[in-house]
Amino acid sequence: MIKFLDLHKINERFRTQLDARFKEVLDSGWYIRGRQDELFEKHFATYTGAQHCIGVANGLDALNIIIKAYGFGPGDEIIVPANTYIATILAVSANGCTPVLVEPDIRTYNIHPDLIEAKITPRTKAIMVVHLYGQAVQMQKIWELAQKYHLKIIEDAAQAHGAEYQGRKTGNLGDAAGFSFYPGKNLGCLGDGGCVTTNDAALAAKVRALANYGSDRKYHHIYKGINSRLDELQAAFLDVKLPYLDADNARRREIAAFYRSHICNPRITLPQTYDEKSHVWHVFAVRVQNRAAFQKYLEDNGIQTVIHYPTPPHKQEAYREWAAHSFPVSETIHREIISIPISPVLTDEEVRETVHLLNAWK
């Protein structure tokens, strides 16, 4: 079986360093917001080019806290892509804001910059972009809209660690960004984890306090906060893996390039990208019309696949109030999309076998 993602094999490469950091954390007797957290926050901020990084418990919390820190709430609207994982929209709803959905560009699957302005109203406070599947959103027009209408830009960068747009990395393309370090991400920990990056010092201080029970110092609470902190152990593991992220992304790009140049089955629609550095290929998502048959064919032939994602947010029971709404481009993507194996530990032989089987599908 060619696994979709072999997490054991990915992390086994770092076993000696992970073991050493585990011992360091264990021996320190300090397990929350200590030296390891400080080191990783410093190093990840430097990596993204942002001035501040605040570790939190997961990617959803990162987005939730950013919105909370800006003070957005009931009556406020936040523009979000219709084609995304539900966490993006959950963060908006959790703060009492109204998510305003915008269709994606069918070529990149990211929010379509040309469709945003028509959805802006006097109640709009922010545009939340999602660098979906690992590809940075084309930001130029979005920057212009944000300036024109005095809007904040929030990045959901959960899938795009290291992707670039115009020489700047995700996490440094808006006013604030939320990252996830879920184990399957390009930079993943060995549990849950996330962070917020920003160049706004005041926002960073508020995010840090909100994530720590609203406290700016022990037993002094200035906000109605939550408990969302990146623990020392996960921070230590992430700090071990961060120096290898660019090399891992380069391997993903190499595999993606091979797929895109060698998969030549007319029944399979390949993903597109506008610039090599813009995409870090968190997943390699193709589209097919008969997805169930395609997935079974690959499974029968030893290729594991995953569907990212089978049901669009506006068709989920949690958002039943949108049941009558139609977003046909998003619905097409969610109906046809399927992700094939891609990871830095996939072998050339496995890549070639995957291509052979895709080309042989009839």
Side-chain angles (χ1 to χ4, degrees):
M1 171 66 73
I2 298 176
K3 292 184 177 181
F4 175 75
L5 186 64
D6 191 335
L7 289 177
H8 178 267
K9 192 173 180 181
I10 285 173
N11 290 305
E12 183 65 25
R13 301 174 297 162
F14 313 115
R15 177 179 285 274
T16 300
Q17 293 165 277
L18 294 173
D19 284 346
R21 284 291 188 101
F22 173 79
K23 186 176 186 303
E24 188 177 338
V25 172
L26 184 65
D27 291 346
S28 75
W30 193 289
Y31 308 124
I32 298 288
R33 285 198 165 177
R35 178 175 178 272
Q36 302 294 339
D37 200 45
E38 290 173 3
L39 280 174
F40 175 68
E41 288 180 350
K42 176 184 176 182
H43 293 156
F44 194 69
T46 299
Y47 178 80
T48 62
Q51 294 179 26
H52 306 278
C53 172
I54 305 94
V56 296
N58 54 69
L60 175 56
D61 279 2
L63 298 176
N64 186 6
I65 294 168
I66 290 169
I67 296 170
K68 192 177 184 68
Y70 277 128
F72 301 150
D76 295 333
E77 296 176 351
I78 297 179
I79 290 175
V80 296
N83 180 48
T84 185
Y85 182 56
I86 198 170
T88 312
I89 297 170
L90 289 173
V92 177
S93 300
N95 285 277
C97 300
T98 301
V100 177
L101 276 57
V102 173
E103 285 272 56
D105 185 330
I106 191 66
R107 297 166 298 180
T108 65
Y109 308 133
N110 280 333
I111 193 169
H112 201 310
D114 293 341
L115 303 180
I116 293 174
E117 188 166 20
K119 296 294 186 78
I120 295 173
T121 75
R123 296 180 296 280
T124 306
K125 298 296 183 184
I127 302 169
M128 186 180 289
V129 298
V130 180
H131 307 299
L132 195 66
Y133 303 147
Q135 181 159 212
V137 172
Q138 292 177 280
M139 296 295 297
Q140 185 61 49
K141 186 159 189 176
I142 296 171
W143 288 335
E144 293 167 3
L145 289 172
Q147 184 174 26
K148 179 179 178 180
Y149 293 100
H150 308 289
L151 305 176
K152 297 297 183 183
I153 297 176
I154 302 170
E155 297 176 73
D156 180 342
Q159 300 183 4
H161 314 73
E164 295 184 16
Y165 178 77
Q166 294 187 6
R168 291 162 57 181
K169 283 188 168 65
T170 56
N172 192 27
L173 297 175
D175 295 287
F179 284 89
S180 167
F181 301 121
Y182 182 78
K185 305 300 185 185
N186 290 31
L187 179 63
C189 52
L190 276 66
D192 255 326
C195 79
V196 172
T197 56
T198 183
N199 292 314
D200 184 334
L203 182 74
K206 190 170 183 180
V207 166
R208 189 175 295 281
L210 282 167
N212 188 35
Y213 298 97
S215 173
D216 61 341
R217 61 183 187 273
K218 196 166 185 176
Y219 301 135
H220 184 255
H221 304 269
I222 53 178
Y223 308 113
K224 296 173 182 175
I226 63 173
N227 175 20
S228 181
R229 300 170 298 199
L230 180 65
D231 70 67
E232 281 288 275
L233 193 58
Q234 299 305 336
F237 290 161
L238 288 166
D239 202 48
V240 165
K241 297 174 70 175
L242 179 58
Y244 302 92
L245 176 59
D246 284 344
D248 279 358
N249 285 343
R251 175 57 177 161
R252 287 174 179 270
R253 288 180 177 128
E254 184 179 64
I255 295 168
F258 190 87
Y259 279 160
R260 294 177 72 220
S261 62
H262 288 79
I263 296 172
C264 52
N265 189 327
R267 300 178 66 192
I268 299 171
T269 301
L270 299 176
Q272 298 183 40
T273 182
Y274 55 87
D275 175 73
E276 181 184 352
K277 289 188 175 182
S278 73
H279 213 317
V280 292
W281 301 101
H282 172 58
V283 298
F284 192 93
V286 303
R287 291 187 4 250
V288 295
Q289 301 229 338
N290 192 352
R291 184 172 63 192
F294 179 70
Q295 187 170 41
K296 186 177 187 306
Y297 162 77
L298 291 178
E299 182 181 350
D300 290 346
N301 285 277
I303 305 290
Q304 189 179 48
T305 59
V306 175
I307 298 172
H308 296 93
Y309 302 96
T311 307
H314 69 280
K315 294 296 184 183
Q316 295 284 357
E317 187 177 351
Y319 289 98
R320 61 180 66 86
E321 65 269 26
W322 291 340
H325 290 218
S326 177
F327 295 92
V329 178
S330 295
E331 289 160 22
T332 296
I333 293 169
H334 284 256
R335 185 171 59 249
E336 298 179 353
I337 208 84
I338 184 168
S339 302
I340 64 175
I342 189 166
S343 84
V345 297
L346 207 61
T347 67
D348 288 346
E349 183 180 353
E350 289 172 327
V351 172
R352 287 193 295 269
E353 176 63 13
T354 300
V355 168
H356 169 73
L357 287 168
L358 266 67
N359 285 336
W361 182 55
K362 298 178 180 178

